[in-house]
């Protein structure tokens, strides 16, 4: 029989939250939320980062991609998109991968929501001094080998 009981690990949740969001978030944001809504911050960290994020089946990077996609699709949650763009960078995702997640969403969630996500990512990249062209393609509008228009043979814009 397969064990279908949910498990949560509060300590693992706080450790993962610290790894993803950094100690300043654990110390600052969670404490301010705690003073506003006692117990809510602990519930979020324990249930989400100590429960859902601890499940087997997806690597942390894949969970971040899913989270970026969900939050961008939801819209109106730019502070959380900002946090998860930062988290994605912290765990080693390349800026171009983050951008591509949002570009890939456009036909599914609509261009305005994809653009809103891209604006948040661009602001994070600027604030953190991150090159948005890093890791996954040429920066500064250069074309990669093979980026030729099949009809004309000229490099694509």
């Amino acid at each position: 029989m397969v064990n279908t009981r949910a498990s949560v690990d509060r300590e693992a949740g706080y450790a993962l939250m610290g790894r993803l969001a950094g100690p300043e978030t654990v110390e600052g944001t969670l404490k301010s939320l705690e003073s506003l809504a006692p117990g809510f911050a602990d519930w979020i960290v324990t249930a989400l980062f100590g429960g859902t994020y601890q499940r087997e089946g997806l690597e942390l990077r894949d969970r971040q991609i899913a989270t970026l996609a969900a939050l961008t699709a939801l819209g109106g949650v730019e502070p959380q998109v900002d946090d998860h763009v930062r988290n994605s960078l912290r765990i080693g995702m390349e800026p171009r991968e983050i951008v591509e997640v949002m570009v890939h969403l456009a036909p599914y969630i609509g261009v305005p929501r994809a653009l809103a996500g891209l604006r948040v990512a661009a602001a994070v990249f600027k604030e953190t001094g991150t090159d948005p062209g890093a890791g996954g393609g040429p920066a500064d509008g250069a074309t990669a080998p093979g980026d030729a228009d099949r009809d004309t043979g000229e490099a694509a814009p």
Side-chain angles (χ1 to χ4, degrees):
M1 178 176 212
V2 175
N3 181 3
T4 57
R5 294 193 61 182
S7 69
V8 294
D9 183 335
R10 184 175 187 273
E11 302 306 318
Y14 276 90
L16 180 59
M17 178 76 170
R19 177 178 169 209
L20 282 172
E24 66 281 352
T25 296
V26 174
E27 294 300 316
T29 305
L30 293 182
K31 282 186 179 180
S32 65
L33 180 57
E34 184 62 28
S35 67
L36 178 64
F40 189 47
D42 185 61
W43 178 83
I44 291 169
V45 174
T46 301
L48 229 63
F49 297 101
T52 306
Y53 268 78
Q54 301 296 325
R55 293 175 51 90
E56 294 180 11
L58 289 176
E59 295 298 322
L60 184 56
R61 178 184 185 282
D62 301 325
R63 290 186 190 282
Q64 277 305 117
I65 290 171
T67 302
L68 283 171
L71 292 172
T72 302
L74 187 58
V77 292
E78 286 76 11
Q80 289 76 24
V81 174
D82 179 293
D83 288 344
H84 283 279
V85 168
R86 292 171 193 279
N87 295 352
S88 297
L89 292 169
R90 278 188 194 99
I91 65 163
M93 283 184 66
E94 298 291 342
R96 291 300 313 157
E97 293 174 312
I98 295 166
V99 168
E100 284 304 316
V101 167
M102 294 173 186
V103 169
H104 180 77
L105 292 172
Y108 300 100
I109 68 172
V111 170
R113 288 205 173 156
L115 287 172
L118 287 168
R119 279 192 298 276
V120 171
V124 169
F125 297 156
K126 182 176 181 180
E127 183 182 319
T128 61
T130 302
D131 176 6
D140 303 323
T143 57
D147 281 351
D149 179 49
R150 303 238 184 255
D151 294 330
T152 65
E154 296 176 357

